Amino acid sequence: MSVTEARKVTLNDYRAETPTWCPGCGDFGVLRGLQRALVDLQIEPHRVLVVSGIGCSGKLSSYIGTYGFHGLHGRTLPVAQAAKLANPELTVIAVGGDGDGYGIGVGHLVHAIRRNVDVTYVVMNNDVYGLTVGQTAPTTPLGRVTRSSPFGSSDYPLSPLGMALGLGASFVAQGFSGHIDHLAVILRAAIQHRGFSLVNVFSPCVTFNEEYGYDYLRQRLVDVDADASYSRLDRMAALRKLAETGGLVEGILFEDPERVAYDELLPQYKREPLTRQVAPLKEEERQAILEAFSLTGR
Amino acid sequence: MKRRDLVWQVGGAQGEGIESAGALFLQIMHEQGYYVASHRHFMSLIKGGHTHYQVRVGSRPLLTPGDRVDILVAFDQLSIEHDADKLHEGSLVLANAAKKPHLPEGSPGRLLPVDFLALAKQAGGAIMANTVALGATGALLGWGEEALDEYFTSRFGRKGDEVVEQNRNAYRLGWEAVHKLGIPPLAMPEKPAPGRRVLLQGDEAMGWGSLEAGSRLFFAYPITPASEILQWLAKWLPKVGGAVVQAEDEIAAVNYAIGANLAGQRAWTATSGPGFSLMQEGIAIAAMTETPVVIVDAQRGGPATGLPTRPEQSDLNEILYGSHGDQPRIVISPATTADAFWAIQAAFNAAEKYQCPVIVAADLNLALDVRNVDLEELRRIPVERGQLDLEPGAFAPHTYPRFQLTDTGVSPRVLPGVPGKTTAAVGDEHTVEGHITEDAEPRVAQMTKRLKKMETAAADPELTREALWTSGPEDADLVLVGFAGTYGPIEEARQLLEAEGVPARHVHLRVLRPFPTRALAAELEGKKVLVVEQNATGQLAGELRRQLGSDGFHSCLKFDGNPFTTAEVLASVREVLAR
Ligand SMILES: Cc1ncc(C[n+]2csc(CCOP(=O)(O)OP(=O)(O)O)c2C)c(N)n1
Ligand code: SF4
C-alpha cells in the first residue's frame, strides 16, 4: 500500500466504536494499554490487524481503530498467524479472554508457541467467563463458587505462563490492566519481539468476579521489570519466579531472542505481501511442474 | 484382432510393493503412448490386508478403470477371490505358485502359477517379486525380453548398476517362466495418435490448479484422500514463493485459510468427512464476515471413520446444508481428474467475487485415481478477484462502509494495509460499517444482502454455463444424473446404451450452489430420471426433489466401499426401463 506522509500517530487515530463493557471492567485498561503501545511505536493503524475471539474481551477489535476481525470463540490464533504469513508487513495482534485462549482455543496456543509466527497474543484474563455471565474458566481457582460451580470449582486452574514457558515460548509476559503505563511498555516489547509473544493480562471482571479485583492484584503483584537482579533470559528463573509468587508477577518474565521466527524457517518463502502474487504461474514455473509429472510428447 | 483396451491388475497384501508395481505398469503404458486409467483399492492399515491396483490401457480416452480384468497378477489367493467376478473366459491369472493358488469353482479364465518369490531371490532378492511379475506380464503381452531395460535404468539408476541389473534379471526370469508356456500373447490395444498427455490424480490437479489460480498458501491436516494435495503442495509451493502449513487440526486449518484470505491472499484447505465436520463453524464465520475461503471435501465412506480408504458421496447434505444459520455458499463439483484443475480455479474466482465460502465437492475416486489426460483438457481460466477496494481513503476509523448495501449483495472488499479505511469484520450481526448490532433493521438488511449474493451468482454466466455437463440426445426419455467421481461409469454406461440403440442422456452436476434449478428442470421435465450416487440414502435425489419440487426419481445407490462399475449402472438402467 502507498506510503503515507509522515504524520505523528496519536491516540485519536486508534479510537473507534464506544466500548460497551461494564463500567470499571479491566478490558478498558487493556484497550488503553494496547493503543498506547501502538502510538508509542508510531505504527499507523491501517498497518495493524487485531484478531479477537468471543467474549467480552473479544469486542476489543471493534474499539480500536485498526483493521479488525472478530472471529470464532477460541480461534484467534490460526486467523492471526495466517494473516501475518499472507501479509508480513502487517502488525498482527490476537486478543481474547482466558476462556477463549486457555479453554476452547488452548490447542491453537500450544501450536502457535511451537510455530513462533510473529504474532502478539494478549489474553485478557479475568478468571471467569464474562460474556456468558459468570461460569468457571480454566483459570478459576479450585473451590471458587461460580454459576457453573455452585459448590465450588473442582478443577485445578491452569497456569498459562508455566505452560507457555514449558512449551518453549519465545516471549512470555504478564500485565495488569490497573497498571496501564507498565502494560503499555510490556506490550510494546511484545509487539517488537520477532516471534510469538504471549502477554497474559489480569483484567478484572467487576461484575462476575469481585474476589479477584483491582485491590487484590495491586496488593500482591510482584514486578520483575523493576527487579535488577532478575534476568528475563533465563527460562528456569522465570519458572521459579512463577512458583514463588503463585503466578502473581508482572512484567516481562522471559524472552528468547534466539528462537527463529517461523517465516525464516520456510524454504524460499517470499517475505512480502502475498497479495501482490495473486497471479497464475509464470511460464517457467508451469513448465517445471509439467516436467516433473510424467509427460508424453515432450 | 486388435483390442480397444486391456485391463491389468495386480493384487496382494499391503506392504508387499503392490502399489509400486501398479504405478510402474501404469507409467510404462502411459509413456508408451496409451491412454490409461487406474484405481487403487487399499485399506486403512499399513501391512497385510488386501490391496490391488487396476490399470486400464486403451486407444481412446478412458472413462473408467474397467469392469473386467484381462490379466490378473495375484500374489495371494485372496487377490484371486476378491476379484474373481472380474474374470472372463479369456482372462489370464498369473498367480503366486508358492501359495497353492486355484481359481474359485466355476470361475472362468486360466490360471498360470509362477513362483514370483523364488525367481526374485534368484535374481538377487525377494523385493524384486514385483519385477518378476512384470516380466511374466510382458511375456503375456508379447513384449520382448529386454523391453523394460531402459525403464530400470531410469528408475533405479540412482541406486546403482547392481540394482538395475538385478531388476533386469528379475524381469527376464519372470518373462522366461511364462514365455516357455507357449501361450499366444494377448494383443495390445492399438496405440492412439501421439499427444502431450500428463499422468496425474485429481488431488494433484487441484494442487496445480490452485497455483494457476494464484494461491500461495495452503493449510491442512492430513486425511485420506486429501493428503496428496498437502504433500504435492508441500513440494511445490516453496518453489513458487508460497508455503504450506500443516495445521494442528481442521478447525485451525479452515481458520488459517480464512485469516490468509482476510489479509488478501488466496488460501485454501482440503479435507474429508471427519475434518469437514470440524470446519462447519469456520464456514459460518467466513460467510458472516464475507471473507472468501475455498474448502475441498474429498468425500470418503462415512460416518465417523467409516470406510476411510473407500469412495463414497455421503457428505453431500453436509456440503450443501452444513453449518449453522442462513448462509450464502457456492458449491463446485469436478466431474473428472482434468476437471478438478478447473474446479479449484473456478472456486477461487467465485470465493473472491462473492466473498463467501466455496466448497469443492470431490470424492475419493476423483482425488486419488491416477490417469493420463490430454494437456488441452487442463483448462486455465483467468484470475478474477472480484471487487477489491485498495484505494487509500480518509475515513475515520471504522466508518468505512465495508458492508454497504448493493444491488448485487456484493460490497467492495478492502484489505488490511489500505490507509484511511480501517474496518472491523465481526461475526456478530453488524451495520454497514461493521459495527455490532442487534437491531432488527440492519439485521434484516445485512442478512438479505448476504443471501442476495446467491441470486447474483445464480445469474453469473461463469457459473451457469458450467453448471451441467450433458451428453446424449436431448430428447432421450431416460436421464442419468450424478455428481463428482461417478462421471466415468455413468458416461460409459450411457455410451454402451447408445451403441445398443437405447438413447439416454447424462446430466452431471458441476455447480450445486447456486443450484441450477432452471437448467436442470428443463433437462428432467417429463423424463425417466435415474440418479446415480455413492451413498445409502440418495442425498442427491433428495436434493433434486427439494429443489425441483418434483418426485418420481429412481435411485441407483452404492455404499459398499467400492466404486461403481459400469455394469452396475447398466443393470440399474435396465431395471428402470423394465418398469
Ligand atoms: C463454540 C462456542 N461455544 C460457546 C460459545 C459461548 N461463549 C461466548 S463467550 C464465552 C466465554 C467467554 O469467556 P472468556 O473467553 O473468558 O471471555 P470474557 O467474556 O471473560 O472476556 C462462551 C463460552 C461460543 N460463542 N462459541
Ligand atoms: S461482565 Fe465482566 S468482563 Fe464482561 S464487560 Fe462486564 S466486567 Fe467486563
Side-chain angles (χ1 to χ4, degrees):
Chain A
M1 309 306 132
S2 73
V3 184
T4 48
E5 55 196 271
R7 183 178 67 86
K8 214 165 155 17
V9 177
T10 66
L11 264 185
N12 221 20
D13 298 320
Y14 274 99
R15 293 215 170 90
E17 292 114 277
T18 308
T20 56
W21 291 313
C22 307
C25 173
D27 294 350
F28 283 100
V30 182
L31 172 63
R32 181 51 58 88
L34 191 56
Q35 287 169 325
R36 241 198 252 165
L38 289 161
V39 170
D40 288 350
L41 291 168
Q42 284 293 296
I43 302 173
E44 294 159 299
H46 69 268
R47 298 181 192 279
V48 181
L49 173 67
V50 174
V51 179
S52 65
I54 298 301
C56 298
S57 46
K59 299 206 170 145
L60 187 140
S61 59
S62 291
Y63 307 149
I64 188 162
T66 63
Y67 281 95
F69 186 82
H70 188 23
L72 296 173
H73 190 31
R75 315 300 168 198
T76 53
L77 290 175
V79 173
Q81 292 172 83
K84 179 69 185 179
L85 286 175
N87 186 352
E89 285 175 3
L90 294 174
T91 295
V92 181
I93 297 161
V95 302
D98 46 307
D100 198 82
Y102 305 145
I104 190 167
V106 72
H108 306 307
L109 174 58
V110 170
H111 292 276
I113 287 172
R114 193 166 72 84
R115 224 170 255 128
N116 207 28
V117 176
D118 190 5
V119 162
T120 302
Y121 184 31
V122 182
V123 179
M124 297 145 87
N125 184 354
N126 54 14
D127 279 8
V128 75
Y129 279 17
L131 191 63
T132 43
V133 299
Q135 299 86 356
T136 307
T139 41
T140 303
L142 195 68
R144 170 76 54 84
V145 171
T146 74
R147 285 205 179 178
S148 59
S149 56
F151 306 111
S153 167
S154 42
D155 295 356
Y156 281 95
L158 175 131
S159 159
L161 300 189
M163 178 180 81
L165 287 165
L167 288 167
S170 63
F171 187 104
V172 179
Q174 188 154 269
F176 171 36
S177 63
H179 293 160
I180 295 176
D181 291 344
H182 191 188
L183 178 60
V185 172
I186 295 169
L187 288 172
R188 219 161 62 196
I191 292 166
Q192 283 182 306
H193 172 74
R194 198 157 145 59
F196 182 78
S197 38
L198 172 66
V199 183
N200 183 64
V201 185
F202 291 118
S203 177
C205 172
V206 293
T207 306
F208 297 110
N209 191 4
E210 282 157 29
E211 290 156 80
Y212 219 4
Y214 293 93
D215 287 344
Y216 176 94
L217 289 160
R218 232 174 242 128
Q219 284 158 19
R220 288 170 179 79
L221 285 176
V222 176
D223 183 355
V224 289
D225 290 344
D227 178 356
S229 69
Y230 181 81
S231 166
R232 64 174 64 152
L233 299 175
D234 183 346
R235 197 181 292 271
M236 292 315 287
L239 283 164
R240 271 197 306 275
K241 193 55 128 190
L242 278 182
E244 277 165 33
T245 59
L248 292 171
V249 285
E250 194 181 356
I252 299 169
L253 207 57
F254 177 71
E255 178 164 21
D256 177 358
E258 305 291 309
R259 197 169 166 111
V260 183
Y262 186 67
D263 54 344
E264 287 175 33
L265 294 171
L266 294 175
Q268 298 163 55
Y269 168 71
K270 290 197 190 129
R271 216 164 289 110
E272 63 174 59
L274 286 161
T275 345
R276 293 187 197 138
Q277 297 174 34
V278 178
L281 290 168
K282 298 189 195 83
E283 192 49 42
E284 67 267 22
E285 293 169 336
R286 183 174 302 129
Q287 278 309 318
I289 289 171
L290 252 180
E291 294 293 326
F293 278 115
S294 178
L295 174 72
T296 60
R298 285 167 205 266
Chain B
M1 193 193 74
K2 287 275 183 192
R3 56 171 72 232
R4 280 243 292 267
D5 66 359
L6 175 121
V7 179
W8 175 90
Q9 177 173 313
V10 58
Q14 241 151 243
E16 282 188 342
I18 302 301
E19 187 189 350
S20 59
L24 182 60
F25 183 81
L26 178 72
Q27 190 181 344
I28 292 168
M29 292 294 92
H30 159 69
E31 286 180 12
Q32 290 290 320
Y34 293 102
Y35 281 103
V36 291
S38 72
H39 176 69
R40 182 165 73 96
H41 168 106
F42 63 110
M43 293 169 68
S44 188
L45 47 81
I46 309 304
K47 292 211 184 289
H50 169 73
T51 181
H52 68 248
Y53 205 120
Q54 179 176 342
V55 180
R56 187 178 184 189
V57 181
S59 27
R60 297 189 313 176
L62 297 166
L63 286 160
T64 72
D67 283 7
R68 308 204 306 170
V69 171
D70 300 303
I71 297 177
L72 175 64
V73 180
F75 275 86
D76 52 21
Q77 182 61 22
L78 183 58
S79 298
I80 300 177
E81 275 154 27
H82 192 277
D83 286 299
D85 59 346
K86 290 190 198 163
L87 298 176
H88 56 86
E89 286 305 326
S91 298
L92 298 171
V93 181
L94 291 166
N96 188 350
K99 299 267 172 88
K100 300 202 171 53
H102 56 272
L103 290 182
E105 271 292 310
S107 212
R110 180 166 170 196
L111 191 78
L112 307 170
V114 177
D115 203 336
F116 300 123
L117 211 62
L119 295 174
K121 284 183 182 153
Q122 194 183 328
I127 64 161
M128 272 165 305
N130 294 318
T131 311
V132 174
L134 279 176
T137 300
L140 292 182
L141 293 176
W143 303 352
E145 220 172 330
E146 285 150 16
L148 300 192
D149 280 5
E150 276 173 42
Y151 279 101
F152 297 133
T153 310
S154 63
R155 206 169 170 93
F156 302 116
R158 266 176 298 126
K159 297 184 178 172
D161 292 345
E162 199 189 341
V163 176
V164 174
E165 204 40 52
Q166 286 175 342
N167 276 283
R168 287 180 177 179
N169 271 334
Y171 178 90
R172 209 158 295 138
L173 289 169
W175 186 90
E176 279 164 8
V178 172
H179 183 71
K180 69 173 185 231
L181 301 177
I183 298 164
L186 301 182
M188 285 296 289
E190 204 166 325
K191 265 197 200 174
R196 274 161 73 77
R197 283 174 216 124
V198 63
L199 188 65
L200 82 174
Q201 57 184 179
D203 275 349
E204 292 168 332
M206 285 189 272
W208 184 5
S210 77
L211 302 183
E212 292 292 3
S215 168
R216 293 295 179 272
L217 283 173
F218 179 73
F219 304 92
Y221 188 81
I223 189 167
T224 303
S227 295
E228 277 74 3
I229 302 178
L230 171 68
Q231 289 155 210
W232 192 87
L233 284 172
K235 202 166 61 187
W236 284 102
L237 264 174
K239 295 188 178 144
V240 296
V244 158
V245 176
Q246 183 171 325
E248 53 269 30
D249 56 47
E250 289 89 345
I251 297 177
V254 70
N255 280 283
Y256 274 114
I258 290 167
N261 276 286
L262 172 75
Q265 168 56 9
R266 285 188 158 190
W268 59 306
T269 182
T271 186
S272 189
F276 188 61
S277 292
L278 287 180
M279 293 183 185
Q280 295 304 313
E281 196 192 11
I283 292 172
I285 194 72
M288 190 58 159
T289 57
E290 307 206 36
T291 310
V293 69
V294 173
I295 302 165
V296 171
D297 180 7
Q299 303 167 80
R300 64 186 204 182
T305 311
L307 298 172
T309 60
R310 308 303 191 81
E312 211 166 87
Q313 303 179 313
S314 48
D315 297 354
L316 183 62
N317 285 340
E318 193 182 22
I319 289 169
L320 298 177
Y321 295 99
S323 193
H324 53 281
D326 295 318
Q327 308 175 17
R329 113 174 17 165
I330 287 169
V331 177
I332 291 176
S333 182
T336 63
T337 307
D339 199 28
F341 183 77
W342 163 83
I344 202 78
Q345 297 172 75
F348 274 114
N349 281 354
E352 288 206 306
K353 260 164 104 173
Y354 298 104
Q355 301 176 24
C356 71
V358 177
I359 300 162
V360 176
D363 58 35
L364 183 136
N365 279 345
L366 207 106
L368 295 186
D369 284 357
V370 185
R371 58 175 57 233
N372 59 2
V373 301
D374 288 305
L375 223 46
E376 56 269 21
E377 261 195 274
L378 298 174
R379 262 174 63 200
R380 270 194 278 139
I381 56 175
V383 170
E384 284 185 56
R385 301 211 60 193
Q387 296 187 45
L388 280 182
D389 176 6
L390 306 180
E391 285 303 308
F395 289 90
H398 299 198
T399 61
Y400 173 77
R402 163 68 184 97
F403 302 102
Q404 61 184 283
L405 305 176
T406 61
D407 291 346
T408 57
V410 178
S411 325
R413 183 163 66 109
V414 66
L415 300 179
V418 176
K421 287 187 176 167
T422 62
T423 179
V426 295
D428 295 69
E429 191 53 273
H430 42 263
T431 64
V432 162
E433 298 83 10
H435 299 182
I436 294 173
T437 183
E438 295 190 18
D439 292 346
E441 191 238 295
R443 159 63 170 184
V444 171
Q446 288 294 319
M447 176 62 82
T448 309
K449 162 197 146 50
R450 285 189 297 271
L451 297 177
K452 182 86 191 253
K453 295 191 285 188
M454 291 308 291
E455 281 172 41
T456 307
D460 180 343
E462 300 282 338
L463 293 169
T464 50
R465 125 177 124 232
E466 303 287 354
L468 303 178
W469 262 3
T470 55
S471 54
E474 267 173 51
D475 59 357
D477 285 334
L478 175 73
V479 188
L480 307 176
V481 182
F483 80 108
T486 50
Y487 181 84
I490 298 176
E491 182 58 17
E492 198 163 71
R494 187 201 66 76
Q495 290 179 6
L496 289 173
L497 287 167
E498 187 175 75
E500 283 176 22
V502 181
R505 189 147 167 94
H506 175 191
V507 176
H508 220 70
L509 279 98
R510 289 162 77 238
V511 177
L512 289 131
R513 285 288 182 275
F515 195 82
T517 313
R518 221 168 317 137
L520 199 62
E523 287 284 351
L524 305 188
E525 187 79 66
K527 304 290 177 72
K528 252 187 188 172
V529 179
L530 178 63
V531 187
V532 182
E533 55 186 315
Q534 258 197 293
N535 57 53
T537 52
Q539 299 184 21
L540 180 60
E543 180 64 7
L544 298 190
R545 257 173 231 127
R546 202 173 292 123
Q547 296 289 350
L548 304 179
S550 46
D551 213 330
F553 302 122
H554 302 278
S555 271
C556 172
L557 304 175
K558 179 160 176 153
F559 51 94
D560 68 356
N562 297 302
F564 266 115
T565 63
T566 304
E568 284 166 339
V569 178
L570 275 176
S572 187
V573 167
R574 294 196 207 291
E575 231 176 84
V576 169
L577 289 178
R579 272 186 221 172

